[in-house]
């Protein structure tokens, strides 16, 4: 949080059928539907999140990610980061408060990989869902399905990940936590954090622009990862891989697809980091193990992305 | 235990290199090396087992299973079951006490699938390894690797599984617990038990004789299954599939290979059964889900067996 | 199952207020309410049980256990065991089919400790709750609260536990699995099984007749024991002790009270046994550790029982 | 990390017998002995920590905590925080580099509760123990006992916790994450963080100066908490309470004592926080539940502290 960027704040995901998507994200994954807006977008969040929402579903003709946003410490920080981004040479779009319901103004820029990122400082705080701020119980009894606790990070595919790394670390104060490098030093994957988490945002180099690999949600335990896998079978939801462990971050994970083909991850555990931690490096020849620690090879689906 | 067959007593596995095999079964899987004999065979067991051994490794030119044995209640039961097997029309071989070190006489027969099975009543009892019979601690601090607790069952491939089913249920008093059936009623997999466990022995129909799919060992928890997977990666041990859950029995599992190509399983949890429980039936068209509950499809390796 | 006794079949528990009791056993513990009878009794079961019910709640002025029953293999076994009990000198009461709804005739006797036990062979089988016998899912999505999977055993307090041991082992074919003994060999606790479980019924010697310590229900994991503890807090349910581990059986456990003061246990894991396993012995001076493995001392409530 | 304080860096604990203490912290808890100095002090760390040490054991006539230190972002931050502390009116002691082996200079101050705190920016980085920075495995195979992963926080007892709160939040940039308050608003417990963790340092108000309640170490799972409890029994180590869950932070925990009477905690899980999260408040009348979520009452030992 060197420059005041706190955490992933929200992601807007395009879905082909809103009702099916809500069934997936709310009934199956356990996100809480918090609101809808007059554009028909649906706002959801994990039960541990204090802000009103972290996932926005928008019905569209094509799946994928519209944008991902980070919440910053306060409005002054937002102004100063906006200036830093402008000074860096990026063109910014300011979206007014209310453009996303109950969210303050957002500063949007396009990363060198073509992805749209936002910063914002203000969003209505509705508190954790189902537990109080006063003498809080351990968890809400009414959570559904996988009981995803929070929107955690995104993994994106794109070409100029060096450009992205430069902006996130040098302008936004992120830390490069883990990387996959080729023998010549070329980075093919970068995991970056603005917190103790091993990744708040990650990129894999692919010769494409603005591709969405997955949005990831945190679970409380490896047992919850198992039950998530069980629920995928019970609901005939397409699975990608897992339960397994990642080499990168060492989190335990399962990948699957929403009805529109967007990949979702639920995961648990994983390493932590601090600003003085050395970068963890994986050799490109060990990419299989870096991604899927047990199988030690990529499945054929791993390179599949949605627009 | 309707007819006095208590449990899987031991399995003799052929390995190409004994030293490598011991490293695999003892250092990695955590079985305890208990003894060796003058033929060079190595005797091992899981730490919770009271008998002296449950796994015998024999160096040979070809991997596979020599035989699997069941322990029966006592010598009188052994005699009466031997008579029942003879009456059924099977030819028996009696192996004298001491043929396996510290094991009593064994009655061996060849099943219609070509597999060699044994019954025995007597084996030296060395007690659980690392814990006492008096004020026992919860587990031994010195167990290694995966800390496999016991030899649990085998899954075998063969042609005449109807013949096998008839012998195990009608002569030996096993119960058919789960089955996979084709629309015409043809059984393609049978899971049989002589206990509360969902399988003490299982068969899948394949047009072959005397094939060994895997020997399976019990772990205490799903977390131990995860750590088993981790250890496979740390030791560069070939993995087949997992961590995952089976549909059949619902146990959580990981499959991998010993240095000779024999498949091993470690698993945890799973359903229980009693003699009055109805048979659980899986439709053949759901075979993928029955075997690998999360992936819902067989991997290409599943049909691979060793001689 | 040497003599054909399969498992604990049901327990009838007296409760002071039926509605509150149902809330406790169904909403909190997750037993399934299956039926009521014209005496107002409520019938429940754990979701993995195939018989129609395993817990019967009867409203009464005083809490405690009316009787506990074991299911035997078949009606012929019931007749032969009844004869064995009579030959032993016990007076039997035969309760007709239908006395408990959808349950066959029951043979009842009073143990030397004053407890009432029953044997029966027939009960309507409704199958596992929420999962099918055909291509069964891993677990039912609608289970509530602690998701108790089955009625597992009872622990009872009484004086003549030697008399009880004699009947259960020599007449009913149970096995003495674990015991706590004083230096002079006097047994102060006995854990007996008719299966691979370490206890289907257990007694602690106390100078009293017909006392009920607890009925116990099985959970799938140590994590479920944690969540059970959480639910006790969320519902302001009086806790006795736990989460912790027992020394005896090494199961992980939590004890708590129903609204009438009956003690309940939910537990997970634990050792297994076979007929040829030596008896596990705990020295009386280690009773604290034998009961509560972590605390290594009895809490003051442990000796409290309901009538 | 608003002001550059990153994390708890080390704690120096007084022990009555060094050899016994090393056995406790290294063999039982699994901390790694990293070095000793010519004063005879022993330096240890958890295996996930990148700095050379986080626990220093000093033999003395009386148990307790000498001081606790926080690592700050860099030497410039150290200077600026030192100035801020001086400006606040605190007297500082500067300890030269090398006073603790392989640790840079430390700025020490005495908090209003009498506790000694330090800040430092530099310490030799030896990297995680047993895993590499290049293609790291998930965990080291040689970790011992409880496998404590890191020194996590301390809980201290003292009188002027309002004074402490003022310094930690307003001077050092910590966040008040959770508190226990009396009806009149008087705080009786404060949990403060400089990170996403719910506590890097915590205080309970007691009419005493400079008292040490416990040092806490992080475990990877609730299952590891169980095994920690098991190890306490196996080693006859005095237990305080647990396994259980805290209300405050909702972490799962076990408290026990080192051979000198210092209380140790190992814990797992627990909530996370961000700078914009509202303070979680527990009412003093719920203190029992706030501390021990399952028992909902303090045990008599809770108020016991060492000097």
């Amino acid at each position: 949080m060197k420059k005041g960027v706190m955490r992933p704040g929200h992601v807007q995901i395009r879905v082909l059928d809103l009702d099916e998507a809500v069934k997936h994200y709310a009934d199956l994954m356990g996100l809480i539907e918090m609101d809808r807006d007059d554009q028909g977008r649906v706002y959801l969040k994990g039960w541990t999140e204090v802000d009103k929402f972290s996932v926005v579903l928008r019905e569209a003709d094509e799946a994928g990610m519209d944008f991902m946003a980070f919440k910053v410490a306060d409005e002054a920080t937002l102004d100063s980061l906006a200036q830093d981004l402008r000074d860096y040479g990026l063109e910014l779009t300011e979206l007014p408060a209310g453009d996303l319901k109950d969210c303050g103004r957002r500063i949007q820029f396009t990363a060198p990989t073509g992805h749209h990122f936002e910063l914002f400082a203000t969003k209505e705080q509705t508190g954790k869902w189902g537990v109080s701020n006063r003498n809080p119980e351990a968890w809400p009894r009414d959570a559904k399905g996988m009981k995803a606790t929070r929107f955690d990070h995104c993994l994106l595919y794109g070409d100029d990940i060096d450009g992205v790394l430069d902006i996130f670390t040098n302008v936004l104060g992120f830390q490069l936590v883990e990387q996959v490098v080729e023998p010549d030093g070329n980075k093919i994957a970068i995991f970056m954090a603005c917190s103790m988490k091993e990744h708040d945002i990650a990129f894999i180099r692919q010769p494409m622009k603005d591709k969405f690999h997955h949005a990831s949600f945190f679970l409380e335990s490896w047992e919850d990862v198992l039950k998530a896998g069980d629920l995928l079978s019970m609901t005939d939801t397409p699975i990608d891989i897992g339960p397994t462990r990642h080499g990168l971050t060492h989190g335990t994970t399962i990948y699957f697809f929403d009805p529109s083909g967007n990949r979702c991850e639920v995961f648990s555990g994983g390493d932590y980091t601090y600003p003085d931690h050395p970068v963890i490096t994986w050799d490109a020849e060990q990419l299989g193990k870096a991604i899927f620690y047990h199988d030690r090879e990529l499945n054929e689906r791993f390179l599949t992305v949605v627009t």
Side-chain angles (χ1 to χ4, degrees), chain A:
Chain A
M1 233 189 66
K2 219 169 5 177
K3 299 275 300 271
V5 180
M6 287 196 297
R7 64 170 172 269
H10 54 252
V11 58
Q12 183 164 305
I13 298 171
R14 294 188 300 274
V15 297
L16 306 183
D17 181 297
L18 203 56
D19 291 344
E20 281 190 16
V22 169
K23 238 187 281 181
H24 177 90
Y25 288 94
D27 296 349
L28 173 58
M29 295 185 60
L31 299 178
I32 317 300
E33 183 180 332
M34 297 298 295
D35 211 341
R36 301 199 176 204
D37 68 19
D38 47 21
Q39 293 176 45
R41 291 182 296 190
V42 181
Y43 295 71
L44 308 103
K45 66 183 265 184
W47 70 265
T48 69
E49 296 180 287
V50 300
D51 287 338
K52 183 171 172 178
F53 65 87
S54 60
V55 172
V56 183
L57 302 177
R58 179 173 75 84
E59 198 167 80
D61 292 338
E62 204 176 30
M65 181 185 89
D66 280 338
F67 50 79
M68 179 188 176
F70 294 91
K71 190 175 192 189
V72 304
D74 49 37
E75 293 290 336
T77 303
L78 184 56
D79 285 329
S80 108
L81 286 168
Q83 191 53 50
D84 292 346
L85 288 166
R86 260 185 228 104
D87 292 348
Y88 185 85
L90 289 166
E91 216 165 303
L92 304 189
T93 306
E94 176 155 344
L95 296 151
D99 176 80
L100 280 172
K101 207 167 173 182
D102 298 317
C103 183
R105 66 184 173 118
R106 294 136 55 213
I107 305 294
Q108 203 173 71
F109 67 94
T110 303
T113 49
H115 298 94
H116 305 280
F117 290 104
E118 304 182 345
L119 305 178
F120 70 97
T122 306
K123 190 182 281 179
E124 187 188 347
Q125 286 210 339
T126 54
K128 293 184 190 179
W129 182 85
V131 294
S132 171
N133 284 337
R134 198 144 195 126
N135 310 315
E137 302 294 355
W139 37 267
R141 288 190 67 177
D142 296 334
K144 286 193 218 161
M146 297 181 185
K147 300 175 187 177
T149 65
R150 67 166 184 250
F151 167 50
D152 190 87
H153 67 268
C154 285
L155 172 61
L156 306 174
Y157 274 11
D159 47 5
D160 185 10
I161 67 173
D162 301 305
V164 162
L165 176 64
D166 194 39
I167 294 169
F168 274 86
T169 56
N170 293 322
V171 184
L172 298 178
F174 281 61
Q175 170 187 3
L176 177 62
V177 180
E178 300 209 24
Q179 60 183 351
V180 182
V181 297
E182 293 181 326
D184 62 3
N186 183 41
K187 294 180 201 308
I188 59 172
I190 52 174
F191 283 54
M192 296 178 293
C194 54
S195 67
M196 280 184 72
K197 291 160 52 186
E198 285 245 326
H199 47 352
D200 288 303
I201 180 74
F203 289 85
I204 287 182
R205 188 191 301 275
Q206 292 292 345
M208 43 182 76
K209 288 278 183 207
D210 194 17
K211 296 296 178 184
F212 180 46
H213 190 268
H214 71 259
S216 181
F217 299 85
F218 194 71
L219 301 185
E220 293 198 314
S221 69
W222 170 236
E223 189 157 317
D224 282 349
V225 175
L226 172 64
K227 289 184 180 165
D230 295 339
L231 286 162
L232 294 177
S233 283
M234 291 176 194
T235 55
D236 272 326
T237 304
I239 197 170
D240 181 3
I241 196 167
T244 189
R245 190 196 283 279
H246 291 303
L248 286 147
T249 79
H250 294 125
T252 59
T253 179
I254 196 162
Y255 283 174
F256 52 101
F257 296 98
D258 81 3
S260 307
N262 293 297
R263 189 186 275 97
C264 299
E265 177 184 48
V266 289
F267 80 107
S268 176
D271 302 328
Y272 62 92
T273 195
Y274 280 106
D276 63 335
H277 278 211
V279 178
I280 304 294
T281 300
W282 291 81
D283 294 311
E285 58 170 19
Q286 299 237 23
L287 183 62
K289 187 172 178 179
I291 303 292
F292 300 128
Y293 185 63
H294 296 141
D295 285 354
R296 287 161 270 161
E297 57 185 31
L298 300 184
N299 61 4
E300 60 198 26
R301 288 179 296 260
F302 185 72
L303 297 184
T304 312
V305 289
V306 294
T307 303

